[in-house]
Amino acid sequence: MVDVILGLQWGDEGKGKIVDYFAKNYNYDVIARFQGGPNAGHTLYVDGKKIVLHQIPSGIFHEDKINLIGNGVVLDATTLKKECENVAAFGVDYKKNLFISERTHLILPTHRALDKASEMSKGQEKIGSTLKGIGPTYMDKTGRNGLRVGNLLDKSFTTDYIKLRMKHQRLLDNFNFHEDINAWEEEFFEALEFLREFKIVNGEYFINEKIQKGQRVLAEGAQGSMLDVDFGTFPFVTSSNTISAGVCTGLGIAPQKIKEVFGISKAYCTRVGSGPFPTELLDETGELLRNTGNEFGSTTGRPRRCGWIDLVALQFACMINGVTQIIMTKADILDNLEELKVCNAYKMNGEEKSFVPFQMNKGGLEPVYQSFKGWQKDITGVTDFAGLPTEMKTYVDYLNEFLGVPVKYISNGPGRDQLVVA
Ligand code: GDP
Ligand code: IMO
Ligand code: MG
C-alpha cells in the first residue's frame, strides 16, 4: 500500500515537516522520493534544530524507516555527499537507511552549467530556475543520453562521461558560456566515489517486494502541482511530473497500489521564481505574509512572492492528483490579520470562470475574491480541532465545501508536533 504526500501550489507548502510527522505517527516503513532533485528544499526541525533536505527523503530521522531515492529523481552526487554529512551530525546512520535506485539519473557539472547558460540566454523571460541542473538532466533522460547511478559500476563510465561532457561543451560554446567548471568537476568525481559506497538497488523490485509483504510506503513529492511540467504554468515550471501520476513512473508502482493522496496547501499562497501568480500581493499585506511567514527560499534564499489562497488553482490540483485529504499549513501566519481573502473565480475577458486556463498570464486574468473575518488569536499552542477559533473554522468549512475534499489536518507552527487533526 502506498500513500502520497505532495504540494498543491507552487512548492514550499511544508512537505518536509508533514512527511517527517506522518512517517513517525502513521507508521510508514518506507519513505520514497519519486521526482525532482536538489531544486527541492524541505525543512524539518529535529531536536529543535532546523535542517533542510534537498535530496534525502524526509523520513531519514527515524531510524526504523527505509528511505529510497527513486528512479524518477535526478541526483547531484556533490549535494548528496554534503547532505549526508549534515544528517550524520544528527546521529543518522544513512549508510544503513538510505537506498538509491540504479535507474536514477545523474546531474553532471555540465548540466548545471547548461542550466545557467540557458537561463542567462533567456534574459527577462527566464524561468527563475534554482540552477541546480534539473532541466538539462531531464532533457538528457528523455533525449536518451543521460548517465544513471547504475552506470557508475560500468567499466566504460569515464569514457561515457567524457563523451557526454563533450556534447555538453558544444552546447555551452553555442551559448557562449565560458565559466570554469573544473572545481565543480573535481568535487563531482570525489562525490561519485562516495556514491559508489551506497546501497544501489533495483528500486522497482525493492519497493514492490516491500508492498507485497504488507509494508507501508509514503511517497514524498517535491515542488508543487502548479510546477508540474504538463499541468503547471508552462513554461514557468520544473521539468518533472510533480503530481500523483509521477509516483507510478518515478518509483515503478502500479496505480492501484496508491491509496491516500494527501495534498498540502498553505493557508495562503507563495511562489518563488518567475511566472503567473494571479493572487500575488505586491502591497504591504504581501510583505507582511513574507516577513511573518519567513518566506525566503529554502534552497536559494530568494524572497518568495506571497498572496492569497487560490481556490481555482487548488481545485484543479485536487482534480489532477486525486487528492483524498488536504493538509493546510502555516495557518498561524494569518493569526494577526483582520481580514482574509480567498480567490474563488478568475475574471477572464470580462467573464467569471472557475477553471485554470491554458495560459494564466493571458486574457487579462484577474482574481475574484471573497472576504473572511480574521481570527486574530494565537493558534500556535492549539492541539485539538475544538480549540481552533470559530472564524478559522468558518474559513476551513468554506474550503471543504468549495474543494469537495476535506481539510483533515491544520499545521499551526514549524515545530515537529504542531499539527491539529480535524
Ligand atoms: P517544502 O519545500 O514543502 O518542504 O517547504 P519548505 O521547507 O521549503 O518551506 C516551508 C517553511 O515553512 C519551512 O521553513 C517550515 O519550517 C515552515 N513551516 C511548515 N509548516 C509550518 C506551519 O504550520 N507554520 C509555520 N509558521 N511554519 C511552517
Ligand atoms: P520544494 O520541493 C519552490 C521553481 C523554481 C523555478 C522553477 C524551475 O522545496 O517545494 P528548476 O530549478 O526546477 O529548474 O526551477 O521551479 N522551483 C521551486 N519552487 N519550491 C521548490 O521545491 C522548487 N523547485 C523548483 O523557483 O521557478
Ligand atoms: Mg521548499
Side-chain angles (χ1 to χ4, degrees), residues 3 31 52 55-56 77 118 145 199 249 296 335 387 393 417:
D3 290 341
I31 320 300
V52 180
Q55 299 185 121
I56 300 179
S118 161
N145 294 308
K199 292 199 178 105
T249 54
F296 297 89
D335 277 359
K393 287 183 186 152
D417 293 312

Side-chain angles (χ1 to χ4, degrees), residues 139-153:
M139 280 165 75
D140 268 342
K141 175 177 176 173
T142 51
R144 299 159 295 177
N145 294 308
L147 292 170
R148 299 182 288 176
V149 170
N151 293 125
L152 285 171
L153 310 173

Side-chain angles (χ1 to χ4, degrees), residues 254-396:
Q256 64 269 35
K257 298 280 185 325
I258 296 178
K259 202 168 160 231
E260 297 294 327
V261 179
F262 298 99
I264 313 182
S265 164
K266 283 179 188 170
Y268 51 100
C269 192
T270 64
R271 167 162 212 172
V272 60
S274 332
F277 179 7
T279 60
E280 181 171 17
L281 292 167
L282 297 166
D283 57 7
E284 63 279 11
T285 310
E287 194 62 37
L288 184 82
L289 290 173
R290 179 158 41 252
N291 291 330
T292 318
N294 193 22
E295 295 294 357
F296 297 89
S298 314
T299 298
T300 57
R302 292 176 292 177
R304 294 178 184 146
R305 301 157 62 192
C306 297
W308 297 121
I309 198 165
D310 180 343
L311 296 190
V312 182
L314 216 48
Q315 193 179 45
F316 172 77
C318 287
M319 175 181 79
I320 56 177
N321 283 300
V323 173
T324 56
Q325 301 183 38
I326 293 177
I327 300 163
M328 188 165 90
T329 54
K330 303 194 90 161
D332 54 302
I333 302 307
L334 306 181
D335 277 359
N336 295 324
L337 297 182
E338 251 174 69
E339 183 197 27
L340 323 172
K341 287 188 184 172
V342 307
C343 163
N344 57 13
Y346 295 152
K347 206 167 192 181
M348 292 183 268
N349 300 315
E351 280 181 62
E352 273 188 30
K353 303 271 181 194
S354 57
F355 68 89
V356 171
F358 173 57
Q359 285 167 311
M360 269 187 177
N361 47 358
K362 299 274 160 70
L365 188 150
E366 272 178 44
V368 177
Y369 289 116
Q370 173 153 340
S371 289
F372 286 83
K373 196 170 176 297
W375 43 92
Q376 297 191 280
K377 283 192 188 77
D378 177 357
I379 61 159
T380 53
V382 176
T383 52
D384 62 353
F385 192 75
L388 290 172
T390 323
E391 294 85 351
M392 183 169 183
K393 287 183 186 152
T394 310
Y395 182 73
V396 171

Side-chain angles (χ1 to χ4, degrees), residues 10-13 15 39-42 115 127-132 134-135 221-224 227 236-239 271-274 298-299 302:
W10 279 279
D12 304 324
E13 297 90 348
K15 297 174 289 291
N39 47 351
H42 296 180
D115 212 358
I127 310 286
S129 164
T130 60
L131 305 179
K132 301 292 179 190
I134 308 298
Q223 291 77 57
L227 287 170
F236 302 101
V237 293
T238 190
S239 299
R271 167 162 212 172
V272 60
S274 332
S298 314
T299 298
R302 292 176 292 177

